[in-house]
Amino acid sequence: DTGVSQDPRHKITKRGQNVTFRCDPISEHNRLYWYRQTLGQGPEFLTYFQNEAQLEKSRLLSDRFSAERPKGSFSTLEIQRTEQGDSAMYLCASSAGLQGAEQFFGPGTRLTVL
Amino acid sequence: AQTVTQSQPEMSVQEAETVTLSCTYDTSENNYYLFWYKQPPSRQMILVIRQEAYKQQNATENRFSVNFQKAAKSFSLKISDSQLGDTAMYFCAFTPSPYTGANSKLTFGKGITLSVRP
């Protein structure tokens, strides 16, 4: 296991379509985070999981967004009825929780909504 | 709520020289961690250095060191012997200690674009 992976790396979609992103964390990490980053800005927190439990969601996460982490392994982030304002880089990170505060990031999924 | 402020949007440094990137933060937490992350153009965010708030000694990692002033809530990054590969966006970030039970999300500053000139 070499790190956090995300798929796809790039996604272009038309407004109104649904998209789903996947994140595979570092295998021994029990915490998984989703962030959104727009050009020239720092990442903003969206949601996080401890094992399979989703513990917090940001107000940024509208009803069109949903995230899951079945069995506490990989996670998916789905955006329904995409809007142009959803265009951003979606970053996933994982950490070892009580064993370490550092979060390790994946390469991100760049979403472009036309 | 925590806030992280990076007031310098851009900086430039000559190769082999030293540069300091500034960061201030605000929190009511007593136990927390501070980080500097590096994001090269079109590349992955990587951790540069971390500081635990209860440790008075400033963290160092090879050419990277921090000046952590807890009372002033200041956390600057010094890069010595700058290299062309240091060209990147640098983010200062804060998280409560995972032992506090608080949401361990990272709160980031807006970042600073550092350019190293040959």
Side-chain angles (χ1 to χ4, degrees):
Chain A
D1 189 314
T2 56
V4 179
S5 61
Q6 292 186 246
D7 185 70
R9 296 289 303 277
H10 303 273
K11 179 70 177 178
I12 300 174
T13 190
K14 293 182 178 179
R15 190 175 52 189
Q17 298 294 305
N18 299 342
V19 294
T20 300
F21 310 143
R22 176 180 171 126
C23 170
D24 286 88
I26 294 171
S27 58
E28 62 268 26
H29 285 182
N30 61 352
R31 293 189 182 184
L32 185 148
Y33 307 80
W34 286 98
Y35 295 86
R36 181 168 66 189
Q37 184 180 24
T38 53
L39 197 61
Q41 300 294 316
E44 294 176 296
F45 169 77
L46 293 178
T47 188
Y48 96 101
F49 294 83
Q50 180 160 305
N51 300 312
E52 67 275 10
Q54 187 174 19
L55 296 188
E56 184 163 335
K57 295 192 292 185
S58 163
R59 289 171 296 172
L60 292 175
L61 215 64
S62 76
D63 292 345
R64 297 184 297 105
F65 288 71
S66 62
E68 295 182 340
R69 191 183 183 197
K71 301 180 182 178
S73 55
F74 69 92
S75 176
T76 58
L77 178 68
E78 180 183 16
I79 309 174
Q80 296 182 327
R81 306 181 303 282
T82 52
E83 302 173 356
Q84 288 186 327
D86 297 331
S87 294
M89 177 75 86
Y90 290 84
L91 297 171
C92 176
S94 69
S95 76
L98 294 180
Q99 279 67 51
E102 299 92 334
Q103 294 183 22
F104 296 89
F105 284 81
T109 295
R110 181 167 296 283
L111 173 67
T112 301
V113 181
L114 302 175
Chain B
Q2 292 83 27
T3 59
V4 176
T5 302
Q6 294 179 255
S7 56
Q8 307 155 302
E10 295 181 3
M11 286 193 77
S12 179
V13 64
Q14 194 75 31
E15 194 176 8
E17 294 190 344
T18 296
V19 64
T20 298
L21 311 182
S22 301
C23 173
T24 58
Y25 61 96
D26 192 23
T27 183
S28 57
E29 300 278 349
N30 197 40
N31 297 318
Y32 52 87
Y33 291 77
L34 294 161
F35 305 94
W36 280 96
Y37 281 88
K38 169 185 177 181
Q39 190 174 41
S42 301
R43 291 184 62 188
Q44 196 159 334
M45 180 103 61
I46 59 174
L47 178 66
V48 175
I49 197 165
R50 78 172 214 175
Q51 175 77 43
E52 297 166 59
Y54 69 87
K55 289 188 176 180
Q56 292 186 337
Q57 187 173 6
N58 288 326
T60 62
E61 286 288 342
N62 302 313
R63 298 183 296 109
F64 299 88
S65 62
V66 299
N67 183 3
F68 173 49
Q69 302 290 328
K70 189 173 183 179
K73 294 181 179 172
S74 169
F75 182 61
S76 61
L77 174 70
K78 185 171 80 171
I79 305 174
S80 304
D81 185 27
S82 297
Q83 301 176 359
L84 297 178
D86 295 334
T87 293
M89 201 154 183
Y90 287 81
F91 293 96
C92 178
F94 168 101
T95 187
S97 166
Y99 295 94
T100 66
N103 180 344
S104 53
K105 68 179 182 182
L106 286 168
T107 300
F108 286 87
K110 290 188 174 181
I112 177 171
T113 300
L114 176 67
S115 300
V116 180
R117 305 187 304 273

